[in-house]
Amino acid sequence: MSNNAADNKENKAPGRGKGPSIRIQTAGDIPEEKLVRVASKFAEANEIEDYRLSFELKEDLIGGFIIYYQGSRYDYSVKGQLGRISSFIKQTRSVNTFGDAKAALSKEEFPSTKIKEDLEEALEQFPESSNLSIDNVELTNLKDDELDKRMTNIFFSPELKDEIGKVSAVSDGVASVTGLRNCMLNELIEFASGATGIAMNLEKSKVGVVLLTGEDTVVENMSCKRTMRTCSVPVGMGLLGRVVDALGHPIDGKGVIRYTEERPIESNAPTIIERAPVNTPLFTGITAIDALTPIGRGQRELIIGDRQTGKTSIALDAIINQKNENVICVYVPIGQKMANIVAISGLLEKNGAMDYTVVVASSASESAAMQYIAPFSACAIAEKFMYDYHKDVLIVYDDLSKHAQAYRAISLLLRRPPGREAYPGDVFYLHSRLLERSAKLSDELGGGSITALPIVETQGNDISAYIPTNVISITDGQIYLSPELFFSGQRPAVNVGLSVSRVGGAAQTKAVKKVAGPLRISLAQAREMAAFSQFGSDLDENTQLQIRRGTVLNEVLKQERFSPLTMAAEVILLYCATSDKFNFLATEDISEFYTDLFADIRLRHPNIFEEITDGQVFTDEIKSEIDSAYEEFKEAFLAEHEEYVEDY
């Protein structure tokens, strides 16, 4: 009888039960009897009975302790609290603080003084519910009643509780994690090695986490924790002129990026009420596009074509042409060679475009996960400029074919069922929720806009493949680049028949709309007559004129890379071409003729360019001034070139 009573008494002793386990990690600075008392108060607060208690020494905690219970971690260590202080300072510190620190250093003050002041200021601002005080973990000298009171005060702040899990398997950048019962979709997961990942598969017994960083450091049985937040990137004016990776970290060697705010990479698209009609043109500086498939601010215009047909060149021309147009640009190369990304960054720098451009790079050497989040990160950066600074933004996704391939790789590794062309079933939703975030905001929201130029690469001229048809149906038009035109010397190789803008004339100025009106019809007639003329040699004068007009128009629509034209120059060029003013020239001389004509008008009649630029209309007065300037230049040209006088 006495033995049974003794056994019962022993079983009821703190930490010797047969129920749930409580594990305490300690730095070794707190006596075991104190930790037993802490565990007892913890069990009492959580209504835990008949628990088992175990201890583990971990010196890198510096001081204090960590309690593990049923997949949760309660961190009362000095290391944990310092980490929370660091995180809080990063989130709340303003640019002015950095400026003050810089000023202090410039005065050769000892920097530790400034650091201490900043730390004290952060501690004062830290929420009281966190009970952030090193005293809370200095329990060695506390009496039992004081200890009970202190434990009652600090149990249980939400900021001190972590939900933890364990890696059950890891392969090819995807980790299977158990224990994260309340994990949310797309939540950021942090591993003990410092690696991070996104929870993308929520299954009954495990979570599929796609690793973003530290892929090689995650191993089986490693612990991880929920962060209660989604993946975010730094945003703000500090990113202009920089090349960053998909997480917003600088990779251009120009030092750290100063920022005060982060923005989630996923966010809702503006609603119908929050949008305004697209009615302001965004000029690319490419005559064939601005005249035939105009792009408006807030529009989504697809650039589609085979490999090596000039898709990236058109997008870069558009970026370079935004200089002095008050448009911020974001360029997103996905899955490209790093050498190409470096070359493009250098090209933008050379043309003065990096001053208003952010490059969010995810090269082919990076993981599929980084390539997957790159366009979403770039869109978050662009949204900051649109929503908060009320700016017009141009974003180029180069290209969404490789983005879809990266998502397909991730989905197959997560054991998601493959669909058409092995892509997952939600790849359409992937691109639609990305491109729908591009919009022109209403005046009530500041009137900013995001204009998207997604690029899709076709194979074998097949625009009916899965990804091309998906993106075509999402966007507001497409610029189709034909390999046949490209290799025949028509560059940019815009196929007028297959290219379309669903915004159309609403995104053109009155001047461009007036001179570009007959352009598409003239090109179509010339193409039809040229096809008809190959069956016979005798052509009447009208047919010859139409064929000649088509030849001239095709010639003026050719344009060198990275040499965009102003809106006024495009208007003058299209007016002269559609009114047969270049028909007397040999085809190979047309480009030189109109280049010299522009230079002559700028020198002798600069008011013509100014009137078109300022008024954005093409009046009869401007037309007569151009005619007069043209006749003057033509007379001088004929005097210099005797071979044209006889024909003329």
Side-chain angles (χ1 to χ4, degrees), residues 577-616:
T578 53
S579 57
D580 301 333
K581 294 186 184 299
F582 298 154
N583 286 11
F584 73 97
L585 291 162
T587 304
E588 61 271 13
D589 293 334
I590 294 175
S591 175
E592 183 183 351
F593 181 86
Y594 72 69
T595 303
D596 292 343
L597 174 63
F598 289 161
D600 185 73
I601 293 176
R602 283 194 179 93
L603 182 63
R604 298 174 183 271
H605 309 277
N607 60 302
I608 295 177
F609 279 94
E610 292 172 4
E611 288 171 7
I612 297 175
T613 303
D614 296 339
Q616 298 191 346

Side-chain angles (χ1 to χ4, degrees), residues 281-297:
L282 185 137
F283 286 105
T284 63
I286 301 171
T287 309
I289 294 173
D290 293 337
L292 298 171
T293 55
I295 300 171
R297 298 190 182 188

Side-chain angles (χ1 to χ4, degrees), residues 316 337-350 562:
L316 294 178
K337 291 188 292 186
M338 186 54 78
N340 289 350
I341 297 173
V342 171
I344 288 170
S345 301
L347 179 73
L348 293 174
E349 188 85 51
K350 179 181 176 183
F562 317 128

Side-chain angles (χ1 to χ4, degrees), residues 254-396:
K254 295 181 180 178
V256 298
I257 294 175
R258 304 300 185 190
Y259 66 93
T260 60
E261 185 183 344
E262 290 188 345
R263 189 179 181 91
I265 64 171
E266 295 265 16
S267 63
N268 293 331
T271 63
I272 297 295
I273 303 301
E274 294 171 342
R275 296 173 184 248
V278 176
N279 53 21
T280 307
L282 185 137
F283 286 105
T284 63
I286 301 171
T287 309
I289 294 173
D290 293 337
L292 298 171
T293 55
I295 300 171
R297 298 190 182 188
Q299 187 177 343
R300 299 152 300 177
E301 184 81 0
L302 171 65
I303 301 174
I304 185 169
D306 275 12
R307 183 173 174 272
Q308 296 293 321
T309 51
K311 301 184 298 298
T312 300
S313 296
I314 284 179
L316 294 178
D317 270 337
I319 291 175
I320 292 169
N321 197 52
Q322 303 316 308
K323 192 172 185 178
N324 302 322
E325 293 292 331
N326 199 27
V327 175
I328 291 174
C329 301
V330 182
Y331 177 66
V332 197
I334 306 166
Q336 297 187 25
K337 291 188 292 186
M338 186 54 78
N340 289 350
I341 297 173
V342 171
I344 288 170
S345 301
L347 179 73
L348 293 174
E349 188 85 51
K350 179 181 176 183
N351 287 276
M354 282 302 288
D355 295 339
Y356 52 86
T357 302
V358 184
V359 178
V360 183
S362 181
S363 67
S365 61
E366 294 194 60
S367 66
M370 293 291 274
Q371 294 180 42
Y372 159 68
I373 70 167
F376 293 97
S377 301
C379 195
I381 292 170
E383 283 177 332
K384 173 66 176 178
F385 296 122
M386 177 178 72
Y387 284 113
D388 294 348
Y389 298 118
H390 312 304
K391 295 281 189 180
D392 292 315
V393 185
L394 170 64
I395 185 166
V396 177

